[in-house]
Amino acid sequence: MTAQEYQQMVHSRTPHSPLAKDCLMAFLFGGGISCFGQVLRVLYERTGLAEADAKLAVSVTLIALTAVLTATGAFAKIARVAGAGTAVPITGFANSVVSPAVEFNAEGRVLGTAAKMFSLAGPVIVYGCGAAALYGLILFLTGAA
Amino acid sequence: MAERIGNSTVRLLSRPSVLAAASAVGKMEHEGPLASSFEIFCNDEFWGETTFEKAEVAMQKAALAAAIDGAGVTADAVEAVFAGDLLNQCTATSFAMRDLGLPLAGLYGACSTFALSLGLAALAVESGGFHCTMGSASSHFCTAERQYRQPLEYGGQRSQAAQRTATAAGAAVIGCSAQYRPHVDCFAIGRVRDLGIKDASNMGAAMAPAAAQTIEYFLRDTGTKPGDYGMILTGDLGSTGSELLLEVLRTEAGLDLSAVHADCGCLLFDAARQDVHSGGSGAGCSAAVVCSHILKRLQNGELPNVLFVGTGALLSPTTTLQGETVPGIAHAVLLTAG
């Protein structure tokens, strides 16, 4: 049997992810988190925070909640159902920082927790900052900024 | 003296026996269909230790000690232990032996390790230079996840073809005594086979061609057919890999294994009830299933013989990141009740 023939066999025999269910769950959980964020923003604004500060406070709250849920192991259980619904909002980014920080605590606070903390989030920061810089450069060159 | 038959197989003429065996498993494995077969279990994933790595050491030590105890020998009587695990540099095994003081031949065969260790332990006894040896292997879900995949608390979804690394260890004591059974009658060391699978989450697919090759060669060498075996047991292809194994053997060799085939990864967990996707995996999976469930069935006469084919995916996180394909391997051990 050639590698090509086998890979065709594997393709036809390997079960695929339930796309419709995954999309529905991502929509419901992602939408739910976004709605919760909106509710928080309204509440923060009612306490007298300016719009920009209220937005920041929403992000901080969601990050803090994710950190607690990650540390207790609840986040991974929710994410198993929610998929992209918890990964795409800021909750996903917070989880990707907290989970290696908790996991590698056994290897010490410096070379474990601190060094591994950005092992998953590092690429997001690197390419996120890179893309922002590129976008800024384009705006600068085109005179839009 | 062992006799070589065909291209790949060795027949052990002195018929070394499994004097005793024991297995130790974690909580989820103990909630599976084979719960009553396991000698030792622990609901605490740390096994009372402070790290998952220490937990795996404790689990492997528990299985080894119980097997030595079951054989009615002292640790000093064990002349060699052939053992391995999935961790970098096989530390679960070497740290367990540091504490137990047993002579160690460390092995790495990924999930095929137990078949390799059982075969080599029997071969050592067959050589006449050893009277009492052991085969052992372990894996721990938490140590494997953090080494091969993501942190445990990372929130992600797993592929449908993915298998769950078993928290399990198995150990068997091998010696030459006609009154004990089953006997280890044949052993075949497999060849590495790679049909270009790159998806590290579909290890069943990566290992199935190697399993098919080892089974085909073994049947040809011994002049036997699938119906001559009470069970042809792979460990661990999972449900996806098992389907592929049957199809590859049908296509390449015209062999139909469906009536006698079982897989340790499918036996250990109930996929309908437990969230394990394609089934169990890990060096400890086949070790625990064979050392408990299968040996008991051989000993009580339910199975006349079992062709145990341990399968391993020989990848590392580095080779996966570098875009390499996943080579597979499979070793065969024939266990006979009578």
Side-chain angles (χ1 to χ4, degrees), chain A residues 6-7 13 95 103 107, chain B residues 146 153 155 195 205 243 247:
Chain A
Y6 183 62
Q7 278 156 40
R13 291 276 175 177
N95 169 252
E103 178 87 11
E107 279 80 15
Chain B
R146 70 204 301 261
E153 296 82 6
L195 284 186
E243 256 188 68
E247 194 163 336

Side-chain angles (χ1 to χ4, degrees), chain B residues 7-18:
Chain B
N7 272 335
S8 310
T9 309
V10 170
R11 194 187 300 280
L12 309 182
L13 300 176
S14 67
R15 306 194 76 203
S17 303
V18 179

Side-chain angles (χ1 to χ4, degrees), chain A residues 1 3 6-7 9-10 13-18 22 70 76 79-81 83 95-96 99-100 102-104 106-107 120, chain B residues 51 142 146 150-157 160-161 193 195-197 202 205 208-209 240 243-244 247-248 251-252 275:
Chain A
M1 182 173 290
Y6 183 62
Q7 278 156 40
M9 186 191 284
V10 170
R13 291 276 175 177
T14 301
H16 298 288
S17 298
D22 285 352
T70 299
R80 215 172 291 158
V81 181
N95 169 252
S96 74
S99 59
V102 173
E103 178 87 11
F104 292 97
E107 279 80 15
L120 295 171
Chain B
T51 68
C142 301
R146 70 204 301 261
Q150 309 289 8
L152 291 171
E153 296 82 6
Y154 177 71
Q157 285 178 319
Q160 295 298 307
R193 192 177 188 198
L195 284 186
I197 298 301
N202 193 357
T240 305
E243 256 188 68
L244 288 163
E247 194 163 336
V248 171
T251 312
E252 285 189 334
D275 183 23

Side-chain angles (χ1 to χ4, degrees), chain B residues 6-331:
Chain B
N7 272 335
S8 310
T9 309
V10 170
R11 194 187 300 280
L12 309 182
L13 300 176
S14 67
R15 306 194 76 203
S17 303
V18 179
L19 305 184
S23 57
V25 299
K27 180 171 185 280
M28 197 160 162
E29 292 68 22
H30 196 252
E31 289 168 351
L34 306 183
S36 60
S37 303
F38 302 120
E39 285 77 12
I40 303 155
F41 80 97
C42 184
N43 281 335
D44 172 19
E45 59 194 5
F46 282 103
W47 286 69
E49 300 287 343
T50 51
T51 68
F52 296 128
E53 285 73 16
K54 285 180 183 169
E56 188 170 341
V57 173
M59 184 173 63
Q60 198 181 122
K61 275 164 60 180
L64 284 158
I68 291 171
D69 204 36
V73 297
T74 62
D76 288 341
V78 178
E79 293 157 340
V81 183
F82 298 84
D85 58 86
L86 299 180
L87 300 187
N88 289 334
Q89 287 78 44
C90 278
T91 48
T93 301
S94 42
F95 281 52
M97 301 308 162
R98 176 186 66 182
D99 298 345
L100 294 173
L102 300 173
L104 167 68
L107 303 174
Y108 184 79
C111 306
S112 74
T113 301
F114 188 65
L116 190 60
S117 66
L118 195 59
L120 289 173
L123 204 56
V125 169
E126 171 80 6
S127 76
F130 298 83
H131 303 96
C132 180
T133 60
M134 293 187 77
S136 173
S138 73
S139 57
H140 191 302
F141 174 72
C142 301
T143 59
E145 281 297 302
R146 70 204 301 261
Q147 178 172 306
Y148 287 95
R149 290 174 275 271
Q150 309 289 8
L152 291 171
E153 296 82 6
Y154 177 71
Q157 285 178 319
R158 295 161 70 237
S159 147
Q160 295 298 307
Q163 293 168 254
R164 182 188 168 91
T165 305
T167 299
V173 182
I174 311 293
C176 231
S177 176
Q179 72 194 70
Y180 289 95
R181 49 186 199 163
H183 301 285
V184 182
D185 276 342
C186 290
F187 176 42
I189 296 179
R191 292 160 205 272
V192 176
R193 192 177 188 198
D194 187 341
L195 284 186
I197 298 301
K198 280 194 168 179
D199 180 3
S201 65
N202 193 357
M203 291 195 291
M207 297 185 285
Q213 180 176 266
T214 296
I215 293 169
E216 183 191 343
Y217 288 0
F218 188 90
L219 297 181
R220 196 177 60 199
D221 286 348
T222 53
T224 53
K225 50 189 190 304
D228 295 330
Y229 298 93
M231 181 187 278
I232 295 181
L233 176 74
T234 50
D236 324 285
L237 297 175
S239 53
T240 305
S242 293
E243 256 188 68
L244 288 163
L245 167 74
L246 298 184
E247 194 163 336
V248 171
L249 270 174
R250 256 197 304 271
T251 312
E252 285 189 334
L255 290 167
D256 181 10
L257 234 61
S258 52
V260 291
H261 176 256
D263 183 77
C264 296
C266 300
L267 294 173
L268 182 65
F269 295 115
D270 179 356
R273 189 165 53 81
Q274 297 175 291
D275 183 23
V276 294
H277 294 222
S278 188
S281 72
C285 179
S286 61
V289 172
V290 169
C291 284
S292 53
H293 179 63
I294 298 300
L295 285 186
K296 286 188 177 88
R297 292 189 68 192
L298 280 161
Q299 283 157 353
N300 68 19
E302 275 179 54
L303 290 168
N305 57 8
V306 171
L307 178 59
F308 167 44
V309 182
T311 60
L314 304 175
L315 77 170
S316 83
T318 305
T319 60
T320 303
L321 286 175
Q322 291 177 353
E324 294 274 4
T325 53
V326 183
I329 195 159
H331 310 290

